[in-house]
Amino acid sequence: MTASLGEFDLIARYFTRPVRRAALGVGDDCALLPAPAAGEQLAVSSDMLVEGRHFLPDVDPEALGHKALAVNLSDLAAMGAQPLAFTLALALPQADALWLEPFARGLFALADAHAIELVGGDTTRGPRNLCLTVLGTVPQGQALRRSGARPGDDLWVSGTVGDARLALGHRLGEWSLHATAQPAAFARMDRPTPRVALGLALRGVAHAAIDVSDGLLADLGHVLEQSQVGVTVAVDACPASPALLQQPAARRRLCQLAGGDDYELLFTAPPTARNAVLAAAARADTAVTRIGQIDAQPGLRLIDAQGQAVDNVYAGFDHFRPDPTV
Ligand code: ADP
Ligand code: MG
């Protein structure tokens, strides 16, 4: 047994590190950060992870530390923002070193990989709940907004989509994955990669972007709504991992189109920018695939490899609606 930690010992031991860019970090009533340079805007986003809702009680705390920051960095990526710093509001049932130590390790490993610092937060006893706020910067007018898609734009997606849902289905007993397919799928669900470098490289190239957290089509719907456009998606062009390619077509499509938690970037760019998109992807060392086209006609149309219409039964995840039936 470890001696029980007080709130301030806990903060000092696990969440206090030397400041980097911040003028003042953890320990005072507020953190102090330099204001963005002239011509830059501050990008701010929060994401909350609730036990039982976003993660299971027995999840590996190190992976959870990674994921809590990754999903927040993904929002900065989708905006084309450069990550700067973050805060962590934490509710914990107890100050358990066996949980806190690996959690902090996973959190700071990803923070270090992006050279960002934890500048403050809050710690309280309660049902396990993590709320992070990330801060980033973006040159004025260059943020990749959801509202920027234009008719004629290509629709692109990064990496592969559907693996997190594939892993979740296995964990929930909806289907069973071969043992050799499990590590890669679970890595996508438990340790997502925020596409920060790609978001930065797409500044000035992409018209609109969003990260895929609730399902590709559901998130695409937000772009359509805010841009007041429609889309045709070539469902079989959506990039899939080797494990997903081995699944029956209906399951593969469900995972790719309705599955969330992939944290890939979905973005649009004019056809004249195809080479620029590919160059940006190469700079970011991230694969991108063209999966459709933005139309002036409102609505979401799906077609298969033969150009035949596919029914859209792929509603995404919504916390206040029943889960979609498989
Ligand atoms: P206050 O009462 O002024 O809100 P607290 O006593 O809650 O301050 O927190 C003390 C300091 O520790 C503050 O600088 C706060 O930002 C920081 N802090 C609290 N919890 C965390 C945490 N989980 N991670 C990082 N910093 C934290
Ligand atoms: Mg406080």
Side-chain angles (χ1 to χ4, degrees):
M1 282 294 285
T2 47
S4 81
L5 283 166
E7 175 186 339
F8 299 101
D9 305 325
L10 183 164
I11 296 165
R13 182 170 315 173
Y14 296 107
F15 299 116
T16 307
R17 300 169 106 210
V19 288
R20 293 186 189 189
R21 249 170 307 190
L24 185 62
V26 169
D28 212 312
D29 296 315
C30 288
L32 296 173
L33 292 169
E40 284 187 336
Q41 290 174 309
L42 200 56
V44 182
S45 178
S46 295
D47 257 311
M48 183 155 65
L49 282 85
V50 176
E51 184 169 286
R53 193 72 205 168
H54 300 94
F55 60 91
L56 299 170
D58 62 351
V59 69
D60 170 13
E62 203 246 333
L64 186 64
H66 171 99
K67 186 166 180 175
L69 182 56
V71 303
N72 279 274
L73 288 175
S74 179
D75 284 317
L76 290 180
M79 215 65 192
Q82 174 74 57
L84 183 64
F86 66 107
T87 64
L88 167 67
L90 195 59
L92 296 172
Q94 70 255 340
D96 175 4
L98 293 178
W99 190 92
L100 280 159
E101 195 281 322
F103 172 80
R105 188 159 16 94
L107 182 81
F108 283 119
L110 187 62
D112 289 344
H114 290 273
I116 61 168
E117 59 193 313
L118 176 61
V119 294
D122 199 20
T123 304
T124 175
R125 186 191 288 269
R128 205 181 313 270
N129 187 335
L130 321 165
C131 182
L132 280 76
T133 297
V134 281
L135 306 172
T137 55
V138 62
Q140 188 116 32
Q142 285 196 36
L144 307 175
R145 300 173 59 165
R146 298 177 177 184
S147 56
R150 297 289 170 262
D153 277 1
D154 294 321
L155 178 68
W156 299 80
V157 71
S158 64
T160 63
V161 284
D163 291 291
R165 181 66 180 84
L166 187 65
L168 181 67
H170 177 88
R171 204 166 269 175
L172 296 177
E174 289 175 305
W175 49 71
S176 177
L177 280 185
H178 193 272
T180 56
Q182 289 177 28
F186 280 107
R188 290 303 306 273
M189 180 163 89
D190 294 332
R191 304 182 58 90
T193 306
R195 301 297 189 189
V196 172
L198 181 62
L200 293 174
L202 287 172
R203 283 179 185 168
V205 176
H207 276 167
I210 189 167
D211 62 323
V212 178
S213 56
D214 295 333
L216 190 151
L217 295 186
D219 289 318
L220 178 56
H222 300 307
V223 173
L224 302 184
E225 196 176 316
Q226 295 202 20
S227 299
Q228 304 210 317
V229 293
V231 73
T232 304
V233 179
V235 296
D236 295 323
C238 291
S241 67
L244 203 55
L245 284 173
Q246 285 171 9
Q247 304 299 314
R251 184 182 301 162
R252 174 174 54 76
R253 283 181 181 170
L254 171 89
C255 289
Q256 292 191 292
L257 301 175
D261 250 9
D262 288 313
Y263 301 98
E264 295 295 353
L265 293 189
L266 188 63
F267 60 96
T268 83
T272 50
R274 277 180 197 169
N275 284 337
V277 169
L278 294 174
R283 276 205 305 286
D285 201 16
T286 306
V288 295
T289 307
R290 204 148 41 83
I291 61 166
Q293 196 177 44
I294 300 296
D295 311 317
Q297 184 194 347
L300 202 161
R301 290 161 288 281
L302 307 181
I303 55 171
D304 66 14
Q306 283 72 47
Q308 300 293 314
V310 173
D311 272 352
N312 182 6
V313 293
Y314 305 107
F317 186 75
D318 182 322
H319 284 284
F320 295 101
R321 295 223 184 96
D323 291 345
T325 47
V326 178

